[in-house]
Amino acid sequence: MTTDPTTPLINVRAFSHVGPIDPFYPADLGRPKIALTVLDVAAAHQRLTAGGVTPLCPIITTAMSQFFFIADPDGTPIQLHQFNGGQLRVTELFG
């Protein structure tokens, strides 16, 4: 595992959610989504907004992470999140 911020890290996971509540993000933003872990969510938010990207929501804080959403040109939500415990991968939350 690398923690070098200059090394791209892409963690692809598929989740099947059964039930009315998804604890990871507001349901009104819909599915599908792309989720990317960043080392500093506030810095990512600032850099994107300074570059002209309009976030779909403010930074949201949960017990597990801080995150916000942007959209790709087709409207697919992209979640940028930072885990509160310093984890870099979703699998680190459960193992």
Side-chain angles (χ1 to χ4, degrees), residues 40-55:
D40 185 337
V41 77
H45 188 277
Q46 181 179 13
R47 184 173 180 186
L48 287 166
T49 55
V53 175
T54 302

Side-chain angles (χ1 to χ4, degrees), residues 6-80:
T6 63
T7 302
L9 174 65
I10 297 176
N11 182 26
V12 179
R13 301 260 310 170
F15 289 95
S16 174
H17 180 74
V18 178
I21 299 172
D22 186 336
F24 295 109
Y25 70 99
D28 60 338
L29 294 177
R31 289 209 190 262
K33 73 170 181 177
I34 298 167
L36 304 171
T37 302
V38 296
L39 296 177
D40 185 337
V41 77
H45 188 277
Q46 181 179 13
R47 184 173 180 186
L48 287 166
T49 55
V53 175
T54 302
L56 300 177
C57 63
I59 295 173
I60 297 169
T61 300
T62 69
M64 298 178 92
S65 67
Q66 297 176 41
F67 60 90
F68 67 97
F69 285 87
I70 58 174
D72 74 6
D74 293 323
T76 302
I78 301 171
Q79 177 186 23
L80 289 102

